[in-house]
């Protein structure tokens, strides 16, 4: 019989939050692509090229989605294999969101400093970059919480007896 690891019930909810953040992130990326690539006068987001920003959005979204899906799957039936897979995908997701937060932070500050007039497309572009930065930072926070819960579940000692009560198998908060 495979050993089951006690993972907090909230891990499923945070996995769902990651999936929703992925959809939000991808939708904002689509809006950025239509705005930044549709305007002829916008060639960069400050010191960061538009293609780097859009490339981050396109390449990070699958990792965020897989990380959230693995967290939900690991919480349903927490085996060592699923928890390890969730850790690996969460680490990739954390790396992407940390790099993306740096890229988007530089883009936000340099793009805002580059604006000269109050043109709606530039204001909308700045706002979209800030929302993307917010979603990347939120993803990083959610991933770090899930990682800490998974590591705590893997370190939980195996019960000594075959039959145990619910209070013995639960993880302290």
């Amino acid at each position: 019989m495979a050993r089951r690891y006690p993972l907090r019930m909230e891990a499923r909810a945070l996995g769902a939050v990651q999936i929703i953040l992925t959809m939000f992130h991808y939708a904002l990326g689509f809006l950025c692509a239509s705005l930044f690539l549709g305007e002829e006068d916008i060639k960069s987001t400050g010191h960061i090229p538009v293609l780097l920003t859009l490339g981050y959005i396109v390449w990070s979204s699958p990792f965020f989605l897989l990380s959230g899906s693995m967290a939900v799957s690991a919480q349903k039936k927490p085996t060592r294999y699923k928890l390890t897979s969730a850790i690996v995908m969460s680490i990739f997701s954390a790396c992407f969101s940390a790099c993306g937060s740096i890229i988007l932070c530089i883009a936000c500050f340099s793009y805002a400093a580059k604006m000269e007039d109050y043109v709606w497309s530039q204001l909308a572009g700045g706002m979209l970059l800030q929302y993307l930065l917010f979603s990347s930072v939120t993803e990083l926070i959610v991933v770090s919480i899930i990682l800490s819960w998974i590591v705590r579940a893997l370190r939980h000692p195996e019960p000594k007896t075959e039959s145990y009560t619910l209070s013995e198998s639960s993880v302290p908060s």
Side-chain angles (χ1 to χ4, degrees):
M1 183 172 129
R3 180 178 172 199
R4 293 186 54 115
Y5 297 88
L7 186 60
R8 291 177 63 142
M9 289 297 292
E10 292 89 359
R12 184 182 297 179
L14 284 182
V17 166
Q18 278 185 295
I19 294 170
I20 291 170
L21 275 172
T22 301
M23 298 304 157
F24 183 69
H25 196 75
Y26 197 70
L28 286 174
F30 179 74
L31 289 173
C32 277
S34 64
L35 179 71
F36 289 136
L37 298 178
E39 298 283 329
E40 285 90 28
D41 59 342
I42 299 176
K43 298 292 184 212
S44 68
T45 54
H47 296 299
I48 303 291
V50 171
L51 291 180
L52 180 64
T53 307
L54 294 178
Y56 158 70
I57 295 165
V58 168
W59 287 104
S60 65
S61 294
F63 285 98
F64 296 165
L65 183 67
L66 285 173
S67 176
S69 300
M70 292 301 292
V72 169
S73 174
Q75 199 283 324
K76 284 183 179 177
K77 186 178 178 187
T79 61
R80 186 167 191 80
Y81 173 75
K82 285 187 178 183
L83 292 175
T84 306
S85 300
I87 285 176
V88 169
M89 288 310 300
S90 294
I91 289 173
F92 281 136
S93 181
C95 290
F96 267 103
S97 61
C99 291
S101 296
I102 293 169
I103 289 170
L104 291 169
C105 190
I106 293 170
C108 284
F109 287 126
S110 61
Y111 186 72
K114 193 176 180 182
M115 285 194 279
E116 296 170 2
D117 296 329
Y118 288 108
V119 179
W120 79 269
S121 61
Q122 290 179 346
L123 292 174
M127 181 186 68
L128 287 174
L129 289 174
Q130 291 170 4
Y131 281 139
L132 281 166
L133 176 62
F134 174 73
S135 72
S136 292
V137 170
T138 306
E139 177 71 26
L140 185 60
I141 291 169
V142 168
V143 164
S144 64
I145 292 170
I146 288 177
L147 271 172
S148 69
W149 288 349
I150 292 173
V151 168
R152 188 178 304 154
L154 282 173
R155 289 185 181 167
H156 189 71
E158 189 171 2
K160 295 182 183 2
T161 61
E162 288 296 319
S163 71
Y164 50 87
T165 63
L166 181 61
S167 64
E168 292 174 347
S169 67
S170 64
V171 176
S173 297

